Amino acid sequence: MKALIALVPLLLVLPVHADWQLDPAQSQVQASITQLNGAAPQTHNHQVRDLQGTISSDGTLRLPLKLSQTDILERFSELPPWIGLLANTTLVTLVAQMPPEQLDNLDIGESLVETLEFRVESDMVNQQESVPLRFTREGLNEIRVTHAEPMAIDGKVLMENSTVRTVLSMLGYQEIDENVPVTLNAMLVNR
């Protein structure tokens, strides 16, 4: 019994790696797309909300994305039945490495900027992108994630992807600006 009691202080000083997850209610990305095919350029904001991702104990961040997480479906009054089947299917998964101990070691109010190399897991896309992110501990079990510098997606690259081009054309975008600014605001929680 004394040996077990002696282990308690030892267990308290060992590092504990949190099981970090995105809180869907507080995690979203917004993109501003400027439509060029009208009389005058018009900018429209679109959201990907309810981001659901996890950082495993080995540091693998996995972020699956579905059509139902976007505001695109809300913009149509009637949709073909096959869209409903596709809506909750994972279209792509973003994968990166983020050592959880870096998050665990942040004090409340402290920030860390880390450039993550995201790769897209999909049958149709083979792409990697470096994204500088800011992680700020807001509470004992909460870390806010934002972009560390202005982020933008290349509009030409978007229009080269046949799936994205089809969705954008359904929304009335025939030609878009090359610069598509993106804003990330997400919350990691230790559950």
Side-chain angles (χ1 to χ4, degrees):
M1 185 66 157
K2 286 183 182 180
L4 290 175
I5 293 172
L7 282 177
V8 171
L10 180 61
L11 292 174
L12 294 175
V13 297
L14 290 175
V16 177
H17 297 293
D19 183 18
W20 293 102
Q21 301 175 25
L22 285 171
D23 179 357
Q26 299 183 67
S27 301
Q28 64 274 334
V29 173
Q30 181 172 307
S32 299
I33 300 175
T34 301
Q35 179 177 347
L36 300 176
N37 54 304
Q42 292 183 344
T43 300
H44 304 278
N45 293 319
H46 296 279
Q47 281 192 338
V48 178
R49 58 188 177 274
D50 300 326
L51 297 178
Q52 301 173 20
T54 59
I55 300 175
S56 66
S57 59
D58 72 350
T60 303
L61 167 63
R62 299 185 64 75
L63 178 62
L65 299 174
K66 302 173 184 175
L67 188 59
S68 62
Q69 292 172 278
T70 70
D71 61 357
I72 292 172
L73 298 179
E74 299 167 0
R75 296 176 185 260
F76 298 102
S77 55
E78 287 188 36
L79 291 168
W82 62 269
I83 292 285
L85 298 172
L86 182 64
N88 288 314
T89 302
T90 299
L91 301 176
V92 297
T93 301
L94 301 178
V95 181
Q97 287 299 123
M98 176 66 197
E101 59 272 7
Q102 288 183 308
L103 300 176
D104 297 340
N105 293 333
L106 285 175
D107 289 328
I108 294 176
E110 187 179 11
S111 289
L112 161 74
V113 173
E114 185 75 24
T115 299
L116 301 185
E117 188 71 31
F118 280 92
R119 76 176 191 281
V120 177
E121 276 189 2
S122 167
D123 294 336
M124 299 178 290
V125 181
N126 183 17
Q127 185 175 345
Q128 284 193 221
E129 190 76 34
S130 295
V131 181
L133 298 175
R134 180 179 318 282
F135 298 87
T136 305
R137 177 157 263 169
E138 292 187 350
L140 185 61
N141 297 313
E142 300 170 328
I143 294 179
R144 174 80 49 200
V145 184
T146 57
H147 45 87
E149 55 189 54
M151 287 194 317
I153 299 173
D154 186 332
K156 287 182 182 177
V157 172
L158 284 176
M159 293 304 271
E160 287 172 2
N161 181 300
S162 61
T163 304
V164 173
R165 187 176 57 247
T166 300
V167 171
L168 289 174
S169 66
M170 288 173 60
L171 292 170
Y173 297 109
Q174 301 305 316
E175 184 181 356
I176 64 173
D177 191 281
E178 292 178 18
N179 188 37
V180 179
V182 176
T183 305
L184 168 68
N185 186 4
M187 180 68 74
L188 280 169
V189 292
N190 175 10
R191 299 212 172 162

